[in-house]
Amino acid sequence: MQHVYMFGGGKADGNARMADLLGGKGANLAEMTNLGIPVPPGFTISAKLCVDYIAERRFPDSLQREIREAIARLESLTDRQFGGTDRPLLVSVRSGAKFSMPGMMDTILNLGLNPATLAALVADSGNERFAFDSYRRFIQMYGNVVYGIKGSANGDPFEHELDRLKRERRVERDIDLAATDLRALCDAFREIVQSTTGHPFPDDPWAQLEGAIEAVFRSWNSRRAIDYRRVNRLPDDLGTAVNVMVMVFGNVSEDSGTGVAFTRNPSTGEKTLFGEFLVNAQGEDVVAGIRDPEPIAKMAEWSADGSRRFEEYCRVLESHYRDMQDVEFTIERGTLYVLQTRRGKRTAKAAVRVAVDMVREGLIDPDQALSRIDPDQLNQLLHPTLDPAAQVRVIATGLPASPGAAVGRAVFDADRAEERALAGDPVILVRRETSPDDFHGMVAARGILTARGGMTSHAAVVARGMGKCCVAGAKEIIVDEAARRFEIDGMAVNEGDWLTLDGTTGRVILGQTALVEPGLGEEFEQIMRWADERRKLRVRTNADTPHDAERARRFGAEGIGLCRTEHMFFEGDRISSMREMIVAKSVDERRRALDKLLPMQREDFIGIFTAMDGYPVTVRLLDPPLHEFLPRDAGEIASVAAAIGLDPELVLKTVETLAESNPMLGHRGCRLGISYPEITEMQARAIFEAACTVAAEGVEVYPEVMVPLVSHVEELRRQTDIVRATAEQVFRDRSRRVDYVVGTMIEVPRACITADQVATVAEFFSFGTNDLTQTTFGISRDDAGRFLPLYVETGILSDDPFQTLDQCGVGALVLMAVEKGRATNPGLKIGICGEHGGDPRSVAFCHRAGLNYVSCSPFRVPIARLAAAQAVMADRSQG
Amino acid sequence: MQHVYMFGGGKADGNARMADLLGGKGANLAEMTNLGIPVPPGFTISAKLCVDYIAERRFPDSLQREIREAIARLESLTDRQFGGTDRPLLVSVRSGAKFSMPGMMDTILNLGLNPATLAALVADSGNERFAFDSYRRFIQMYGNVVYGIKGSANGDPFEHELDRLKRERRVERDIDLAATDLRALCDAFREIVQSTTGHPFPDDPWAQLEGAIEAVFRSWNSRRAIDYRRVNRLPDDLGTAVNVMVMVFGNVSEDSGTGVAFTRNPSTGEKTLFGEFLVNAQGEDVVAGIRDPEPIAKMAEWSADGSRRFEEYCRVLESHYRDMQDVEFTIERGTLYVLQTRRGKRTAKAAVRVAVDMVREGLIDPDQALSRIDPDQLNQLLHPTLDPAAQVRVIATGLPASPGAAVGRAVFDADRAEERALAGDPVILVRRETSPDDFHGMVAARGILTARGGMTSHAAVVARGMGKCCVAGAKEIIVDEAARRFEIDGMAVNEGDWLTLDGTTGRVILGQTALVEPGLGEEFEQIMRWADERRKLRVRTNADTPHDAERARRFGAEGIGLCRTEHMFFEGDRISSMREMIVAKSVDERRRALDKLLPMQREDFIGIFTAMDGYPVTVRLLDPPLHEFLPRDAGEIASVAAAIGLDPELVLKTVETLAESNPMLGHRGCRLGISYPEITEMQARAIFEAACTVAAEGVEVYPEVMVPLVSHVEELRRQTDIVRATAEQVFRDRSRRVDYVVGTMIEVPRACITADQVATVAEFFSFGTNDLTQTTFGISRDDAGRFLPLYVETGILSDDPFQTLDQCGVGALVLMAVEKGRATNPGLKIGICGEHGGDPRSVAFCHRAGLNYVSCSPFRVPIARLAAAQAVMADRSQG
């Protein structure tokens, strides 16, 4: 059983296909070595070992021998000695899981240093300052990672000590500290470790190495790693590999440096190297955003050869991997080393452009192009940006780290961001700089603003990955996290104040700014065409107004899957007629009120049918319990009663009579239409009169009448009878027929279980998976806030079932309904109109379930189109 | 295709096995004819024709010929002529469906009379008064049945006319009217028909016959027939046969008479003829309760020969049918005719005694005995009777028409009885006399009181069939239905006043009287022993107190299937500690409050475990949402806060925070235990400490800990972990172990769908079919009152799914859960603890589904035992 895999000297034990074992980083290091790219030699300890270690809390006996052999090989490749006092071999220890988890796992540099090897490093490098700086970094990182000495209420004790020293020396930057200062700092850091742990800092390099490896393995189950996996839906049982690599130093001299670059622009997708470098610095300085780097385009000015060779390696790597790469390098005394390559994270805009460009460049085919775009990420392209016409008050400008726009209230720590967002507040997370500990706050926020850090800082990388607006490194702002505010030019922005971020330009704007809809580019249209050519599912939209219907058509909707009629009753003075209808004491009174509603409802349908010319429109009959239309408190009741000329006592009595213990399970849906058939009749009349009207004007209209909340076929039969009788009457009166169908929403378990019976009457099914999820779980979505977050948090549920369809439970009912429904009605048309219709994994499920269409909110239509195409390709790759 | 089946002259076309075609009455008339019993000749028109007629609204062409042939046969058998002016043949026309529907369908007597045949009847009978009386009855019945001229707001116009005439003649009874009076009445009745229908009363006997047949067929779908079938769960598609029989007259002379008798006492089951007769009267007079009949025991005094022969026929019929019979007879001028026999309706007490006696007499075997008892009817035996020690104020005494006791508020019409009962009021329906139109009110009432009518009056027969207490013929009371009150000795009892009825003694008592538990007889124990020998399902009880547990044991419960722990928290000052627990601001505070609850809860379990010594006890962990334990309005909040020394603001805030939109689907069940593991821990500790305590005293204890509202296996796993860890801790502390299991309530659809997963953790399943029905249908039982009655009323649902398990929907989920659960855990114990566990049809379903036990309220335990045995026999008869 091999646990250790070497790379270096032009060949490697592993390769890129071994990411399960070596992690993404390790596999790519091996691959690069095999490609002849200059990677510092090293070895990877397998992720399999991590899994075993977590289970058994010990290492196998053979490991120590394997590691000693690997180190010996590094010693021979570098002509250095681990723990040697002449040419000491220093190594970095980094985690590397199968999936890229930026900043999530821990890194230790300069491992192998101790007072003895430090002296040798001083001699060897001829740079005392560099050597002490390396040692103090090592102690700090080791203290952080291995002993958990980190920021707490009192701050990071190492940083605290560094700040104290800088104040004492009256310098601003680390780099301005002298070698003697750093030497003193090393002593102070060793003392911090001693006093915190009760043990001296370890000097034995082998002990250092073992401690580091264990710490990396343990970090797999750190809170932030678990959080990241949860949000990104990564499995928990993979483990992480450990990469041990010979140190090369970008901070050893002025002809040394370090940098990170994307082979294409990760914001726009433009085909040009995009990145940053720092002279005389170590790689962590770039990623952490502590120093401000130079753009990569300027690198040739500093090192023409390094720049040329780096560009060449980038070309090799991109065409080898056939994808945009994110590459790290270090130049040590003029010699270029590539330290890492990985798939570059990108914005949706970049993802679309890179995918289309690469097809045009012949690197990939359209299927691959489609599969590389995360449908959820398209949200970025589809959601509004700042209204350019809006009067805005720009208070600061930072880096346009992740495009898009966000409006929200300023919040200054991650916990609070999560808390406020849960309470329904839109949140802008403001931090001096973000760290992996802020991850849950970033997830909760609409946008992220940092005072420090560059385009590849933690905040920027993570925000782009989430498709979330981010302005990074807005240096003018002075963040006081403890006081929950930031200052700029003497003005304070406090927690709760409104901010608008423009991630596309980097502007920070005070107040709430109007947003406008996005324009979609040519590459986006190309991707959508490819998707449309492949997908089998039709994509409709949920829309209640002609405006929404038109927008959805522009996004590619092929009809309306859910037109809710109740929203129409809230508008303007319609609510008065609705209330008259509700308090009516007899069928006649009710009919009179309904007669007032009829023309309004008819007008609504005329608008919607016209907007959807040529496509079907599914109209759901009145669904909510009637009390939702009534005022609640006594004062409101009195004023409402007066306004519509009703007896307040009557209104009050009606409100009391209609109150329900569990409105979600109460007198609503088709139960209303059965109690008051005249409501169904009025709605059917409005639908068919509108259809006849627009048909007379040449509009292609195809109404689908949907009966909600059916649990028994008889309910549907009786409502269908009313709808059909009304249709026939309208057609006779208008001397015109239109094609239509009558079907039902499937939203309670019983409808699924008896779908064979229901389908004998229904011409279509539309899964209302919101309510179906509520009834299948027995969970009221309105009340779930008290326990559902905890369920997802602690892994009782892997996902919020209201966001992603619960395939195991709700999905099983969907499959049952499809099978049973088609068994008695082979021509049954089946769709879904719950919010899951716009969730990519749920769309994939709908495809596999054999549905005819999904219906989702207008903004999610393109997401559903892409997800539907990807589902077809997933079929093929499994077939 | 034969539509008409003759009987008479010693032989018949049909027999008792042809009830599908001939209805129960027709089949028995044929059978009796074949047995040589003197039945007046006649013929039966098949129920099949009724079904066709209802569908097509016309008769087949061949029918008229068949009827003419049949009438010709009757003419030849009787030497009379239909429409003849010499010896006119008169017939009765009666409905007769497959299942006995007493009083539900309509009857017409004396058909064939018209002015011409009337004259012949006068001559033929030599009794003018009789002839005119027969004619006026015919016109009235024909007017009622065929033309629908009946009681309305203004009363029955025929009765009105009769009353008018009696007042005019200053007589009390019909019989005191002279022949001339009756002749005038006939003219008046003909005039009523003329003026109501616009047509003269038909004189053509053939037209009369056709009209009568059609009317009987139509009456199959009358409101009262449909109601009866619904309540008695009879199919709607059978149709009714029509029996046309030669008239014999009990009212033609003083040596004529009529009567009805049961072959055994239908109240007690005693083996003695039980019935009544009237001299010089027609059968309808007995059934309608208009005249007061004599007990059958006195019949020999009037007609020794008739009495002897009737007793003989009763013996023949009972041993032929091997069941207690309800036999009608008429003596015409000394000649006995048997007009009908049918299975005698009986009280539960009689059913049990008759069944056991007949086994002892060798007439039937124990299986047959069991199958003859309606489990639902056992309720009568099990529910309380009047406390003999109670001080009661008897205001009247009537006939003990149906045993048992009932306490309720007086209501004077059926609609109002239904309305008040739906609103939750216990109702005593008080009527002068009942008619089939009162049926729905009788269903709704706890008990029935009538001022008129005997032991075989409509009220008495129907009440006994329903197992409902009835006092009939309480002559002292003067009912004023319009004024909604009755008077007795000048005292008025108004609508809403409390009454107690003692159906066993016939006492009418003013006010609410205490009731006591029934003593069960030796025959009952025998039936239960036979049932226990046969059944496969175990029967447990739902009980939360030692008192309930003990009572249930006496009824034969074999353990507790549902012990709800929350009820315990409402008692006395426990609610204070519970409230402290709920408003606790930290885990520590909550633990302190729980520590106060622990000893109380432990005491509860000690009592229950002791009461159930030797049997398992399933304890459900805390289930309801916490807000149910808190006060609701501001005043109550203040006083509660003061009482338990809490800040009213805090209590108010907690009440507001805990408020839920849909509590049924909210933060309850295991969701509480997951949010507050310390609650689960306290409950588990109380259970296991109690178990160890009683085990130390020699009690055989077997706790089953039940986690409620599980929708995902992970919920159960986490709660189970807490329970098991706590158990181990208690066992260590007490140095004693008790066997126990941990399982789950299956009460949301997802638990059924994923039962294979849930069963990997659960050691038992218990179906909570109340909640499962709510979630499967998406119906809140608390809110269903606004539509569910309409659903059952109009046949959308055949039954209230909260009373009888919905096999098609909820049942399918139960079957799925059983199959999936046993697939991964073959030893899984499965029961049901919803209210359906005491519903016989649901018990039969549970048996077929392969459940191990049902659990129901203590009073329903014997019902479940019998139903479980019947389910086994049903298996056999199908196997």
Side-chain angles (χ1 to χ4, degrees), chain B residues 541-832:
Chain B
T541 193
N542 300 349
D544 308 341
T545 62
H547 172 76
D548 278 355
E550 280 155 21
R551 173 153 62 189
R553 267 194 95 134
R554 286 200 301 279
F555 284 149
E558 303 160 292
I560 291 181
L562 176 62
C563 173
R564 284 168 288 238
T565 52
E566 52 271 16
H567 291 186
M568 303 174 182
F569 294 129
F570 283 106
E571 267 176 43
D573 57 352
R574 298 173 173 201
I575 187 78
S576 300
S577 303
M578 189 67 190
R579 285 167 173 168
E580 281 175 49
M581 193 277 287
I582 294 168
V583 300
K585 288 185 299 294
S586 69
V587 174
D588 280 347
E589 267 188 47
R590 193 154 44 242
R591 277 193 191 280
R592 276 196 295 279
L594 286 166
D595 284 347
K596 294 189 205 165
L597 289 168
L598 174 66
M600 309 180 198
Q601 183 119 88
R602 189 172 51 216
E603 282 311 303
D604 292 326
F605 293 135
I606 287 175
I608 288 170
F609 289 154
T610 306
M612 272 292 153
D613 186 2
Y615 285 124
V617 174
T618 305
V619 179
R620 180 176 71 182
L621 299 179
L622 189 66
D623 184 58
L626 297 182
H627 48 76
E628 285 197 8
F629 297 96
L630 295 180
R632 272 151 219 277
D633 61 67
E636 211 190 336
I637 286 169
S639 72
V640 160
I644 55 175
L646 286 170
D647 175 11
E649 274 303 302
L650 174 65
V651 178
L652 178 64
K653 198 172 156 237
T654 308
V655 168
E656 282 167 2
T657 313
L658 292 181
E660 293 187 305
S661 305
N662 297 289
M664 151 76 202
L665 307 176
H667 195 202
R668 51 169 287 238
C670 66
R671 298 162 195 168
L672 291 174
I674 285 170
S675 298
Y676 310 113
E678 51 280 6
I679 298 179
T680 303
E681 208 181 298
M682 181 280 282
Q683 294 204 290
R685 177 169 292 280
I687 292 167
F688 293 112
E689 288 183 352
C692 287
T693 299
V694 301
E697 291 160 3
V699 171
E700 252 189 81
V701 61
Y702 193 66
E704 304 183 329
V705 182
M706 180 154 73
V707 179
L709 209 70
V710 162
S711 65
H712 193 290
V713 62
E714 275 305 310
E715 298 176 304
L716 179 62
R717 194 190 313 279
R718 292 178 197 212
Q719 291 288 286
T720 301
D721 287 350
I722 296 171
V723 172
R724 294 203 173 280
T726 307
E728 288 307 317
Q729 214 177 342
V730 171
F731 296 161
R732 269 197 309 277
D733 294 350
R734 298 287 186 109
S735 305
R736 175 184 292 280
R737 301 191 70 83
V738 296
D739 280 345
Y740 71 97
V741 288
V742 187
T744 183
M745 201 136 162
I746 299 281
E747 50 189 335
V748 300
R750 199 181 187 283
C752 298
I753 300 162
T754 63
D756 45 349
Q757 295 166 27
V758 177
T760 60
V761 176
E763 290 172 289
F764 67 88
F765 282 178
S766 177
F767 288 101
T769 45
N770 298 350
D771 278 7
L772 189 59
T773 300
Q774 297 197 82
T775 47
T776 303
F777 275 90
I779 290 180
S780 157
R781 195 174 182 180
D782 291 339
D783 303 312
R786 294 178 53 77
F787 56 91
L788 204 55
L790 179 73
Y791 272 42
V792 178
E793 184 97 348
T794 59
I796 292 175
L797 298 176
S798 60
D799 295 287
D800 178 341
F802 294 107
Q803 280 169 18
T804 296
L805 190 85
D806 160 50
Q807 297 190 14
C808 214
V810 179
L813 282 176
V814 169
L815 291 175
M816 184 190 298
V818 170
E819 190 190 320
K820 289 190 162 210
R822 295 231 171 96
T824 56
N825 182 354
L828 192 70
K829 183 155 62 170
I830 308 183
I832 179 177

Side-chain angles (χ1 to χ4, degrees), chain A residues 704-722:
Chain A
E704 304 182 329
V705 182
M706 180 154 73
V707 179
L709 209 69
V710 162
S711 64
H712 193 290
V713 61
E714 274 306 311
E715 297 174 305
L716 180 61
R717 194 189 314 278
R718 294 181 194 209
Q719 290 288 286
T720 301
D721 287 349
I722 296 171

